[in-house]
Amino acid sequence: LASCAIIIGLMHWLERIANLLFPLVLLLLLASGIPQISTPQQQVHLLAWDNSFDYTTWTMKALWVKLGQAALGSPRYLDPASQVGTVREYLRLVEQIQQVENDIRIIYADPNVSDARAASASERALLADLSRQYDAVAPLAEATLETQVTEILREQGLTLGGQPIPWVLYHITPLPQNLVVSPRERIEQKTSYLLDPDLTTEQAESVEAAVDEKMNVSSLVVPVGGIALYPTMVMRTTALGWLSDTIAHEWIHIYLAYQPLGWNYETSPEVRTMNETTASIAGNEIGRILMERYYPEFVHRYDSTRQLAAVDLGPIGPGTFPPPFDFRAEMHETRVRADGLLAEGKIDEAESYLEARRQVFWARGYAIRKLNQAYFAFYGAYADVPGGAAGEDPVGPAVRELRARSANLKDFLDQIGRMSSFAELQAALE
């Protein structure tokens, strides 16, 4: 693990240096009059690099935490009941922290409070105490969930000599925001770029405006719940079902990275959708087993939907109790209509239609900041559930059909992992 840490740290350090030097080199080339042909990724990097996510610092800090956990071997010294209790305590602390943070925000927003700092003194003291408790419990909870996921992977035959390759390692952390770029004339993710977790909405819109103007594309900064770095990154949440799904989902991405499906992730939108849908299906299955075995009292709250509804699409618009509204069906209809308009070359009409539909969603209580081609390029790749942002894209249904025909999860992952194109998936089904 120490050697792994050194190698990964060095790789990301070199990547960071390259990222920092790229804009300077590009400017020198332009100044010298040398013709420059850049990829979409390079263009986006030039426009957004000053808000980029620092891979190196995060990776080294996360590996340091994981090395400490490995040295202590904490969960091994706890009986199963105590391990489960640690995770429950973690969830309790996260819920309390979120409540106190919200109380503080309300105090600062109250126009009748003249000295918000003084008025929130007790809340801030409580938050500091809860944060200290969280810092002590969180590493144990992480290690426990890693152990539990590992046990399920072993039972599913997804290990070598009883150990998953690589080990299940994740870290709860504020996640980077993801800048997604799609052409205006069709819905397709051309590239993406991770931005600072602390990026404000104003800054996000500034980045989007610059990218849209300079590249004539559709872009959108979206929140993410997990990222398949190593250790993998996972968002802090009280939703244990979602958390267990995501831990497994991101590990599946690492598992697939050693196979053709993972190698070819960036080669086409179809392969990306195959990869994301596969990880979603497998993550949901593993997460469901984990919940039923270790945390049955939470199963009734379990939500296997990978869309980050609580982050980006939650009912936080006007009205506390919006009328019944089938979000997935409405989003499916929106995607199909937008695809049709774009296929006819009616780009401006499609974009006007999407903005009108965004206002419909807003009126129904869904606060979508921007509904455009990039939105569907990102969310449409998670096609483990019928309907929604994927529209009529045939890739998701084909992946789901392959899983339905497979004898078990390992058989499914072995089959699809060997594929490097959608054509291979279609041939397998035929």
Side-chain angles (χ1 to χ4, degrees):
L1 184 59
S3 298
C4 178
I6 294 171
I7 293 170
I8 293 174
L10 178 60
M11 289 174 62
H12 286 308
W13 179 80
L14 292 173
E15 179 182 12
R16 185 63 175 167
I17 293 298
N19 286 343
L20 293 173
L21 291 177
F22 175 76
L24 177 60
V25 172
L26 187 56
L27 288 173
L28 290 173
L29 288 173
L30 291 172
S32 64
I34 299 175
Q36 177 262 335
I37 300 176
S38 61
T39 65
Q41 186 176 20
Q42 291 171 329
Q43 291 176 307
V44 169
H45 179 69
L46 180 62
L47 293 166
W49 72 275
D50 54 336
N51 289 305
S52 63
F53 173 65
D54 186 349
Y55 290 92
T56 306
T57 301
W58 185 89
T59 300
M60 297 312 295
K61 286 182 178 178
L63 282 169
W64 181 255
V65 171
K66 292 302 168 185
L67 285 168
Q69 291 176 7
L72 293 173
S74 308
R76 293 199 299 270
Y77 298 109
L78 299 175
D79 60 75
S82 298
Q83 292 178 12
V84 170
T86 298
V87 174
R88 291 194 182 109
E89 175 66 8
Y90 163 83
L91 295 173
R92 184 190 69 81
L93 287 169
V94 172
E95 185 173 13
Q96 285 190 296
I97 287 171
Q98 291 177 345
Q99 180 59 57
V100 175
E101 288 175 339
N102 187 59
D103 292 342
I104 294 171
R105 282 193 292 268
I106 291 173
I107 292 172
Y108 273 82
D110 190 343
N112 298 313
V113 176
S114 58
D115 188 346
R117 181 170 179 78
S120 64
S122 61
E123 285 80 4
R124 288 185 290 105
L126 176 58
L127 181 61
D129 181 57
L130 289 171
S131 296
R132 283 191 292 270
Q133 295 179 55
Y134 173 87
D135 290 342
V137 170
L140 293 174
E142 287 184 14
T144 294
L145 287 169
E146 288 167 353
T147 300
Q148 292 168 347
V149 170
T150 297
E151 178 61 27
I152 295 168
L153 293 175
R154 185 179 298 117
E155 294 171 358
Q156 296 293 321
L158 298 174
T159 59
L160 182 64
Q163 290 296 327
I165 305 297
W167 296 345
V168 179
L169 292 181
Y170 82 96
H171 188 47
I172 297 291
T173 181
L175 266 74
Q177 301 183 58
N178 190 24
L179 174 63
V180 180
V181 178
S182 169
R184 293 180 62 213
E185 63 272 15
R186 64 185 180 279
I187 293 172
E188 174 187 324
Q189 180 171 310
K190 296 300 292 183
T191 190
S192 64
Y193 192 79
L194 294 182
L195 302 173
D196 194 315
D198 297 323
L199 194 75
T200 65
T201 302
E202 183 180 13
Q203 290 172 321
E205 295 209 330
S206 177
V207 170
E208 291 166 356
V211 171
D212 290 351
E213 179 184 355
K214 299 296 184 182
M215 298 176 62
N216 189 29
V217 294
S218 168
S219 67
L220 181 66
V221 174
V222 298
V224 293
I227 297 177
L229 294 177
Y230 195 71
T232 57
M233 307 177 74
V234 179
M235 178 182 72
R236 188 171 75 177
T237 179
T238 59
L240 183 58
W242 184 90
L243 177 59
S244 59
D245 284 5
T246 304
I247 295 168
H249 177 106
E250 301 306 335
W251 182 85
I252 292 294
H253 277 309
I254 303 294
Y255 178 78
L256 293 173
Y258 298 95
Q259 303 176 56
L261 185 64
W263 304 337
N264 291 279
Y265 184 95
E266 299 286 352
T267 58
S268 73
E270 292 81 12
V271 173
R272 177 175 173 268
T273 298
M274 288 169 61
N275 199 302
E276 292 293 353
T277 303
T278 297
S280 294
I281 290 172
N284 292 343
E285 290 190 31
I286 293 166
R288 168 66 71 174
I289 295 171
L290 186 146
M291 292 288 289
E292 292 176 345
R293 177 176 304 173
Y294 299 106
Y295 310 96
E297 71 274 23
F298 291 108
V299 170
H300 69 283
R301 300 188 225 167
Y302 185 84
D303 179 7
S304 63
T305 303
R306 284 286 308 172
Q307 299 279 7
L308 300 183
V311 178
D312 192 45
L313 310 173
I316 55 175
T320 306
F321 302 100
F325 186 74
D326 190 335
F327 176 84
R328 292 193 66 83
E330 295 291 336
M331 191 57 73
H332 176 268
E333 176 187 329
T334 304
R335 169 67 188 269
V336 171
R337 176 61 177 155
D339 278 335
L341 291 171
L342 292 173
E344 296 172 8
K346 300 176 180 178
I347 298 174
D348 292 336
E349 186 176 338
E351 291 175 340
S352 297
Y353 166 73
L354 289 175
E355 172 56 23
R357 289 293 290 171
R358 186 189 73 83
Q359 294 182 32
V360 170
F361 283 105
W362 168 260
R364 293 289 186 162
Y366 292 88
I368 301 174
R369 180 174 62 85
K370 187 181 291 186
L371 189 61
N372 59 7
Q373 296 91 324
Y375 177 98
F376 287 104
F378 178 75
Y379 288 107
Y382 299 90
D384 54 305
V385 179
E392 296 296 328
D393 186 345
V395 180
V399 177
R400 298 196 301 269
E401 177 64 21
L402 183 66
R403 176 63 188 100
R405 296 188 189 184
S406 301
N408 51 54
L409 184 59
K410 184 178 188 304
D411 182 50
F412 167 62
L413 292 173
D414 285 347
Q415 286 187 76
I416 202 164
R418 292 191 293 267
M419 298 176 186
S420 56
S421 70
F422 181 46
E424 291 180 56
L425 175 56
Q426 291 174 308
L429 293 175
E430 291 170 359

